[in-house]
Amino acid sequence: MSPPLTFLYAPADRPDRVAKALDSAADVVLVDLEDAVAPAHKDAARANVLRLLASVARPVQVRVNHPSTPWHAADLAAVAALPLEVGVRLPKVESPEEIRAVAAALPDRALHPLIESALGVERALDIATASPRIASLGLGEADLRSDLGVADDAGLTWARSRVIVAARAARLAPPVMSAYANVRDLDGLAESCRAGRALGFRGRTAIHPVQLATIRAAFLPTPQEIARAREVVERVTGATAAGVGAIALADGTFLDVAMVEQARTVLSLAE
């Protein structure tokens, strides 16, 4: 199966938006109990999650509140009552112990930790390998910007690369990018996605359905990339059948294992 590229947030205290998100073209729906929900609405939001996600037929994750909040335990109890296919998104993770505590409370459920602080970035690999239930590693860049005191993307470059490397070292899928806040600036979103793709991200979270098509287009391979990937795979297949060891493309580029794996990833995305 092709990897998911679009992830759409919906605030759990707005059941109408959750329903629209579930009917959207997003590959994964992220139902939010955390930042998007005011303290006075937390209980109602949790009740909505139990009602709307009692049976789901598409990939869904629920973002719960941090263990330091008074809502965390009730959030975990609500997620525990949902189908096992519903993953749990963990905000502001700074230690492996936080992961292990959730894994113990929600056994056999996919965990998706978010790193949102300098300490979390420093411990990225420890967090990524804290439990076999971890299915992805991600960044929460709004809080990270505040913690680092940076105002633009340049200040996040090292942290982004650190999380990408940690995910790869932990044998996880490439991380997805954080949401782009300006829902009207689709050109800026596309440019930002291209820069993130060049770093090694695959896919992005969205805060509005209008962003989904732009995100998908930015992370899908171009026709040129698809053609080159097909040439790589065809050359390898033909050389293997002929018993040839050294393989080169028409432009003279010699192939190695990494290039072949990358070509197969491109074709998987294209399909």
Side-chain angles (χ1 to χ4, degrees), residues 151-215:
D152 58 25
D153 281 3
L156 296 177
T157 302
W158 185 85
R160 287 172 169 173
S161 293
R162 177 72 185 94
V163 170
I164 290 165
V165 170
R168 177 59 182 164
R171 299 295 185 265
L172 299 173
V176 302
M177 295 184 75
S178 292
Y180 190 82
N182 189 338
V183 298
R184 296 182 180 179
D185 182 16
L186 297 182
D187 290 338
L189 171 62
E191 181 180 356
S192 176
C193 287
R194 286 191 290 268
R197 183 184 175 194
L199 282 176
F201 286 105
R202 184 188 293 160
R204 189 164 202 162
T205 60
I207 54 175
H208 193 284
V210 74
Q211 297 176 313
L212 296 176
T214 300
I215 292 170

Side-chain angles (χ1 to χ4, degrees), residues 4 7 61 85-90 99 108-113 127-138 167 170-176:
F7 300 72
Q61 298 170 22
E85 292 77 14
V86 177
V88 59
R89 203 164 179 85
L90 308 173
I99 300 293
D108 302 322
R109 194 174 296 270
L111 308 179
H112 303 270
I127 291 168
T129 56
S131 166
R133 300 309 307 167
I134 292 179
S136 74
L137 187 67
R171 299 295 185 265
L172 299 173
V176 302

